[in-house]
Amino acid sequence: MATTVDGLVSGMSTSTMINQLMQIEAAPQTRLKTKVSDAQSVVTSYQSINTKLAALKTAADDLSRPSTWRSIKPTSSSTAVTATATPGVTSTQTGNLTFDVVKLAKAQITTARVDSEAPITSSDAFTITMSDGSDPTVIDLAGKRTAQGVADAINSAGIGVKASLVKTSTGDSVLQLTGTKTGAANGFVLDGVDFTTKNAVEAQDAILQVGGAEETGGYSVTSSTNTFTNLMAGVTLTATKEETGVTVDVATDASGIADKIKAMVDAANAVLSEVTKQTKVDAATGKGSALTGDFMVRQISQSVLSAVSQGQAGIGSLSKLGVQLEKDGTLSFKAENFKSSYAADPDKFQAAGITMGDAFQAVAKKQTDNLTSAVTGRRNIIDSMNDQIDNWDTRLEARRSALTKQYASLETALSNLRSQSSYLSSQLG
């Protein structure tokens, strides 16, 4: 490509003229870019509202689940026994139960008084057999027969026993073997050693006794840990000491259900707030937002509010569930109203609560589907306009090249005319 000096002959700034002409040529592309930017703003606003609708749907689904209405709140009469609701359990029971903590689960501790310096066994290997019925594990000492060598060999075996060498207050050395898990099935026996061992603590299961001795109709339950999940449906019990006469009361968790309703109301208000934000008009400038005047978006607010204002067959106003419409166009939740209604007729207001959750879930799903469809349509339009913008890039590049050549030719022609003029002047002179 030939190199030219801008306006060398004509004295004109041809590059400036070309740039100005290209701005005119690019006006249609500029308008397309503005349209793309506006459409992307609309898509972003739609997605922002859709995020809030998704949260509303999740909260409404949560309220509609039967497991929400089966949630329980257990309390224990003893600080030595904690009672909590077992996560994920849908089959629960209410009521109370009294029992005794007869035993706590323990891990076996076996000790041997040893010389910390001299070999403590003449064997090159011995076995440890766990009480769970698994095959014995061979512990190879590899010639290291000292107490520390025995402890290291046990720890390297990777079984449910750990060993350590302990110095007592009297200066004696004790080889201590400890089970890594509690419960009778996690006890162990050493065979093939020639040092004396004693079980300082026997491995045992935890035991809860209900209703006295078994011969009088009572029964017991056991656990390899101090945690029980098989005594009361949906309740996890954890004991920390032996105790008699522990009572656990289990009631429906009305407060927990109220929290679920509040979460749904909060999510609904978040939707209303987001719609207002995305459709507001700036009072100072009079400029609207991306979705100002969008009928579909205004319908979202109306649908959410209608789910409350229309009430519900069987109970009338949703205020009996604690949900009501305020004068400022938001929703509020009065937990005490719900708890009072629920305590008076649990079955009736459970059904009403599930129906309310279903209604909000349906609203959220319908509006989400509408917005998703609108977003898809806008994106298709954006893709089409971006294709046109790309085509304009090619056309504008060709036009700039043509203008550059045209003005370069003009400069060349003017240069030739000047040369001819100079020649003629010299001849005439």
Side-chain angles (χ1 to χ4, degrees), residues 4 98 137 162 191 217 245 301 313 350 355 380 398 410 416:
T4 61
T98 301
T137 299
K162 294 299 178 183
D191 292 306
S301 295
Q350 173 181 334
T355 299
N380 290 337
L410 175 62
N416 292 334

Side-chain angles (χ1 to χ4, degrees), residues 67-74 84-86 91-94 232-235 250-254:
S67 58
T68 293
W69 297 86
R70 293 177 187 147
S71 61
I72 54 175
K73 187 176 182 179
T84 57
T86 305
S91 178
T92 59
Q93 70 179 68
T94 57
M232 304 179 75
V235 178
V250 182
T252 300
D253 188 9

